[in-house]
Amino acid sequence: MRSLYCGEVNESHVGQEVTLCGWVNRRRDLGAVIFLDLRDREGVVQVVYDPDLPDVLEKANTLRNEFCVQVKGKVRARPEGQINKDMATGAIEVLGLELTILNKAAPLPLDSNQTNSEEQRLKYRYLDLRRPEMTERLRFRAKVTSAVRASLESQGFLDIETPILTAATPEGARDYLVPSRTHKGQFFALPQSPQLFKQLLMMSGMERYYQIVKCFRDEDLRADRQPEFTQIDIETSFMSSDQVMAVTETMIRELFQQLLNVDLGEFPRMPYSEAMARFGSDKPDLRNPLEIVDIADIAKDVEFKVFSGPANDKQGRVAVICVPGGAAKFSRKGIDELTKYVGIYGAKGMPWLKVNDIEAGLEGLQSPILKFLNQDAVDALLARTQAKTGDIIFFGADSYNVVSESLGALRLKVGEDLELLQGDWKPLWVVDFPMFEEVDGQMHAIHHPFTAPTNLTAEQLAANPAGALSDAYDMVLNGCELGGGSVRIHDQAMQATVFRILGISDQEAQEKFGFLLEALQYGAPPHAGLAFGLDRLVMLMTGASSIRDVMAFPKTTTAACPLTNAPGQANPAQLSELGIACLATKAESQE
């Protein structure tokens, strides 16, 4: 039906007749002449209808936005003064000779000026996706997946599918369950990741596996979360963590070079403990120059118990962030707003100190807590933070986690509000994560229970699990975790030890992972892997604000689909066949 795409017409086609198909992006009626901006997947071209063909001109006069049409015409160069340098096709136009209306468009439910709510955009997603920026994001996503496949396959990786209907796996979120008709009362789980299957593939001798795969997690949503999302899933045999990081770093660097012409350079590595100490986050945004500075030693002997208490507690932390030039930029009202903000992360308050004139000593400082700080403490504080006249210092004093999270969040907010970010892309690897964390006396795996410890025997791990580091690694870019992985446990004794530390009984382990534990008995090789979040990667590369803007048909923040009205109710016959009865909702029971 077409000879080429709208966006492909250029000066080399001048004098040629072309056939184009697409949608009316805009119509301008100048009386004797009608201009159309005709749009398809590849771009927009201007079509001109003039009085020489009155029948065609009359038909063009009936067109409205989003009519689907076929145009036949002759390409001609635009006059010098009419060239549109903002359009890829701006040097030419098509003189319309024929016009076929393939389908009319009813009045549109979406506003062309884009004053549409996200609910409207998702309900009429097929219209929203016609917008050039949305089309380009999906085109870019396709280029990313193509480049990923090319990179991995050039290194000997095999694309292998794993089941969608499977058993529950311990990934840290709720599973989506699928009832079985043939096994009434029993359920499949949709995979949160192919974790167990990709390990089994390594035990099967596949050695290098990858998959671009759908994953499902029933969890509270936010801008970078969806109930169904896509992973670039990778697993290898006989490779160390350093080798896995090298392979995947090469893939990401090639991706950015090929698609964005960006050289990310070699990725630095940072231990988890350093990331938390300096940035209050295990995925620090290195574009932000602000850092957290510990001052517990300075605060131990001050009269202010809000500081001295946590400073003398092994589980406590006292730290500050010094914001250069911030004294004049934060009024008392602004400081109160920041105090309220860090309260979201558990901070009970946020003392502050403005350095109005560092040469004036205590007289040049302003703070509601200044009376509680002696001269030596103030001098040590100013020296450690390298504060200068015009700076403001924000304090955090509480448990280690509360201070780290609250000051980490404050660092990001202040950095963005004051436009302090430096550079476009700042990647790094975060490594040396703790193996476990203790919550209410119970050990929990930081990653998952199949992650191997770093350079420990099973006996050494059992003797001091709290001090163990995992052989795990996260790739971080601009404050977002692109992907994470680890060396897996391939030794049955080590796996049994980890299960015992986590309080998983032998019976429970057999019920949940019996097939994996059995596979470990039959010559399981050392193996390691990593999974990238494809949606998040494309979001960053395209500059989108949400992963919903790089997915064709995403869900809302309440995990619903306005387009298809899913989830919906099942009819009684289906439920009966599955052996399921639905409980009445609270609203229904009160009717």
Side-chain angles (χ1 to χ4, degrees):
M1 293 184 69
R2 60 154 63 100
S3 58
L4 72 168
Y5 286 104
C6 296
E8 293 176 341
V9 187
N10 57 47
E11 291 169 283
S12 70
H13 299 108
V14 170
Q16 298 180 22
E17 288 196 4
V18 295
T19 303
L20 308 173
C21 293
W23 290 267
V24 176
N25 196 61
R26 187 169 61 139
R27 182 184 70 115
R28 286 161 288 153
D29 187 348
L30 302 186
V33 178
I34 290 177
F35 291 91
L36 297 183
D37 286 344
L38 188 65
R39 184 195 73 245
D40 64 14
R41 192 188 75 179
E42 299 297 326
V44 179
V45 67
Q46 179 171 283
V47 181
V48 183
Y49 291 98
D50 63 28
D52 291 343
L53 296 170
D55 292 343
V56 180
L57 182 66
E58 184 178 352
K59 186 181 289 188
N61 194 44
T62 67
L63 299 178
R64 291 197 305 269
N65 286 3
E66 300 307 318
F67 271 39
C68 186
V69 300
Q70 181 190 60
V71 169
K72 293 183 180 180
K74 180 176 287 188
V75 181
R76 66 186 187 187
R78 292 198 198 186
E80 184 65 32
Q82 297 179 20
I83 292 176
N84 186 345
K85 295 182 179 180
D86 294 329
M87 288 178 63
T89 60
I92 56 88
E93 62 187 13
V94 176
L95 175 63
L97 303 177
E98 296 181 31
L99 173 63
T100 302
I101 298 176
L102 301 173
N103 211 332
K104 296 181 179 181
L108 298 175
L110 293 183
D111 176 17
S112 60
N113 293 322
Q114 296 309 313
T115 57
N116 305 300
S117 68
E118 186 169 59
E119 186 83 8
Q120 289 174 300
R121 291 178 55 208
L122 295 181
K123 181 174 178 60
Y124 300 100
R125 190 63 164 182
Y126 46 87
L127 296 178
D128 187 51
L129 290 177
R130 291 183 189 174
R131 292 192 293 128
E133 60 265 43
M134 295 300 292
T135 300
E136 182 53 36
R137 286 169 185 162
L138 291 189
R139 283 165 51 85
F140 188 88
R141 182 183 177 116
K143 292 177 182 178
V144 169
T145 57
S146 178
V148 165
R149 291 185 187 280
S151 177
L152 292 175
E153 288 171 10
S154 71
Q155 299 179 74
F157 284 83
L158 303 178
D159 181 1
I160 305 176
E161 293 182 350
T162 54
I164 293 298
L165 295 177
T166 182
T169 56
E171 301 289 338
R174 301 181 189 89
D175 292 305
Y176 278 101
L177 299 180
V178 179
S180 170
R181 178 185 60 81
T182 53
H183 302 277
K184 284 186 172 62
Q186 298 184 12
F187 297 82
F188 295 103
L190 302 182
Q192 296 187 36
S193 84
Q195 181 62 47
L196 298 183
F197 285 107
K198 63 185 180 183
Q199 290 191 245
L200 290 172
L201 285 170
M202 296 305 100
M203 298 170 196
S204 305
M206 297 300 103
E207 295 210 12
R208 293 193 178 198
Y209 139 95
Y210 87 95
Q211 187 181 182
I212 298 177
V213 59
K214 280 288 186 184
C215 301
F216 307 86
R217 294 182 184 178
D218 185 5
E219 58 185 349
D220 295 332
L221 305 181
R222 60 184 186 225
D224 59 349
R225 283 184 179 172
Q226 280 280 291
E228 53 180 319
F229 56 96
T230 306
Q231 279 187 354
I232 305 169
D233 205 46
I234 299 169
E235 197 79 6
T236 69
S237 295
F238 308 112
M239 290 181 70
S240 67
S241 54
D242 286 339
Q243 290 171 317
V244 172
M245 284 190 278
V247 166
T248 52
E249 179 179 321
T250 295
M251 182 189 78
I252 295 298
R253 289 173 61 184
E254 289 176 351
L255 198 64
F256 272 74
Q257 186 69 62
Q258 178 181 336
L259 299 184
L260 297 180
N261 196 28
V262 168
D263 183 3
L264 292 177
E266 291 191 15
F267 295 9
R269 296 188 184 186
M270 182 180 296
Y272 168 87
S273 58
E274 181 183 344
M276 295 303 295
R278 294 173 59 191
F279 308 109
S281 171
D282 60 359
K283 47 181 186 295
D285 188 346
L286 298 187
R287 297 173 302 166
N288 188 331
L290 301 179
E291 293 195 20
I292 300 172
V293 178
D294 284 294
I295 60 162
D297 57 323
I298 297 173
K300 279 184 176 181
D301 299 321
V302 300
E303 296 180 15
F304 197 34
K305 291 185 178 180
V306 171
F307 285 179
S308 60
N312 288 283
D313 184 347
K314 291 182 179 180
Q315 305 300 318
R317 185 178 190 186
V318 184
V320 298
I321 290 178
C322 180
V323 182
K329 295 178 180 178
F330 290 104
S331 63
R332 186 56 187 265
K333 180 181 178 182
I335 294 173
D336 289 343
E337 289 175 352
L338 289 179
T339 302
K340 184 178 179 180
Y341 176 76
V342 298
I344 298 171
Y345 301 90
K348 301 178 182 66
M350 189 179 65
W352 53 272
L353 184 149
K354 288 186 176 183
V355 184
N356 296 324
D357 182 1
I358 199 166
E359 300 298 331
L362 291 178
E363 296 298 321
L365 306 178
Q366 177 187 354
S367 171
I369 63 166
L370 192 58
K371 59 186 176 182
F372 300 112
L373 305 178
N374 57 48
Q375 184 70 56
D376 289 342
V378 171
D379 290 343
L381 171 67
L382 296 177
R384 183 164 301 178
T385 58
Q386 298 182 356
K388 298 179 176 59
T389 296
D391 294 353
I392 187 170
I393 299 172
F394 294 111
F395 296 78
D398 208 305
S399 68
Y400 188 90
N401 286 342
V402 167
V403 172
S404 299
E405 290 184 15
S406 59
L407 288 186
L410 177 70
R411 170 181 174 269
L412 294 178
K413 180 170 177 55
V414 170
E416 290 183 5
D417 289 351
L418 300 186
E419 299 180 347
L420 301 178
L421 303 189
Q422 301 171 357
D424 295 323
W425 304 103
K426 293 287 185 179
L428 82 155
W429 288 103
V430 177
V431 298
D432 296 337
F433 287 85
M435 184 88 172
F436 306 103
E437 62 178 345
E438 187 173 347
V439 180
D440 298 328
Q442 174 65 48
M443 286 291 192
H444 296 268
I446 292 289
H447 282 79
H448 54 66
F450 313 110
T451 299
T454 302
N455 299 325
L456 291 178
T457 64
E459 293 76 15
Q460 290 170 326
L461 179 64
N464 183 24
L469 298 179
S470 63
D471 202 351
Y473 33 83
D474 282 358
M475 183 187 289
V476 177
L477 181 64
N478 292 3
C480 287
E481 180 191 329
L482 283 188
S486 66
V487 173
R488 323 302 187 189
I489 297 169
H490 71 283
D491 175 74
Q492 193 178 30
M494 178 65 79
Q495 188 65 74
T497 299
V498 170
F499 282 158
R500 283 195 294 272
I501 291 170
L502 295 174
I504 300 174
S505 67
D506 292 344
Q507 180 180 351
E508 184 182 0
Q510 282 298 325
E511 289 174 355
K512 291 184 175 180
F513 322 114
F515 58 92
L516 178 68
L517 298 177
E518 184 176 7
L520 290 174
Q521 301 178 53
Y522 304 120
H527 55 286
L530 186 147
F532 288 100
L534 174 63
D535 311 295
R536 195 174 300 170
L537 174 61
V538 177
M539 178 185 75
L540 283 174
M541 295 183 77
T542 60
S545 59
S546 165
I547 63 171
R548 292 191 291 278
D549 282 337
V550 298
M551 303 171 80
F553 299 102
K555 305 293 188 293
T556 66
T557 52
T558 58
C561 176
L563 174 64
T564 61
N565 291 320
Q569 294 182 340
N571 66 53
Q574 287 177 302
L575 294 177
S576 177
E577 195 173 28
L578 293 168
I580 292 176
C582 288
L583 298 174
T585 64
K586 185 176 180 180
E588 290 171 339
S589 63
Q590 292 175 346
E591 290 180 356

